[in-house]
Amino acid sequence: MVVAVGLVSLHAPAASAAPVAAAAVRTLTYNASGAAEFKAAVDQGAQVWNSSVVNVRLVSTTSSSANIRIVADNGWPRAQPTSLGSGQVWMGRQATAEGHDPVRIAAHELGHILGQPDRKPGPCTSLMSGSSAGTSCKNPYPNAREKSEVEAAFRSAKVGAAGEWARVFVD
Ligand SMILES: [Zn+2]
């Protein structure tokens, strides 16, 4: 038993581990060309996720076949995931007009696309507490739980059951 464990350990080549790790990182493209004045905030929100998790990476594109489409409108910010890592985000101007932070909004809505639910009411340390944290909250970073859940979702690469998707998260 001890010998077997030792052999497994000794003979597990680094070369076999590397491709597995690389394959686990899922790249998602987002097209924010319709995000108008929120384009920079969306890019920052995407970078927040890129610096917070390793199993998924958000990359900007102008392609119409992007995984995530992000537009601006005059409503309340919302997201409609169609599957894990795909869907649409509306950067509604109503929230920024009331004083909510656009980068936090962008990161929050992208969080929905990455499989996160709303967690309201909640503290500013929670990204998914959304507007419930108040207009003074400008934190765009997911907390430890939110990060670990996104990591787990993309590590397992499980696609949610059909009923979980296509609902619209308002806020
Ligand atoms: Zn939300």
Side-chain angles (χ1 to χ4, degrees):
M1 190 59 177
V2 171
V3 171
V5 169
L7 283 173
V8 168
S9 178
L10 280 172
H11 292 274
S16 75
V20 171
V25 178
R26 182 142 158 235
T27 297
L28 301 176
T29 54
Y30 68 91
N31 185 335
S33 55
E37 73 272 28
F38 299 115
K39 175 73 168 66
V42 168
D43 288 337
Q44 289 176 63
Q47 287 310 309
V48 162
W49 279 109
N50 287 344
S51 67
S52 299
V53 296
V54 298
N55 289 341
V56 62
R57 179 148 202 89
L58 296 165
V59 177
S60 180
T61 182
T62 53
S63 167
S64 59
S65 61
N67 298 105
I68 307 160
R69 182 168 171 257
I70 302 164
V71 299
D73 76 358
N74 295 328
W76 192 258
R78 58 212 185 274
Q80 184 173 29
T82 49
S83 65
L84 180 63
S86 297
Q88 176 151 340
V89 166
W90 291 263
M91 290 293 296
R93 295 184 175 95
Q94 199 179 335
T96 48
E98 291 180 14
H100 290 281
D101 184 73
V103 179
R104 176 172 165 86
I105 293 170
H108 175 99
E109 302 307 337
L110 287 169
H112 285 309
I113 302 294
L114 300 178
Q116 285 286 290
D118 277 316
R119 294 208 170 88
K120 299 182 286 186
C124 187
T125 49
S126 163
L127 176 61
M128 300 316 293
S129 69
S131 63
S132 74
T135 53
S136 64
C137 177
K138 301 188 185 309
N139 168 43
Y141 291 94
N143 64 19
R145 176 188 178 179
E146 292 159 348
K147 285 191 282 190
S148 70
E149 286 180 356
V150 168
E151 293 284 50
F154 284 89
R155 184 184 302 118
S156 62
K158 277 183 189 159
V159 175
E164 288 181 49
W165 304 105
R167 66 163 285 197
V168 178
F169 291 89
V170 179
D171 194 287

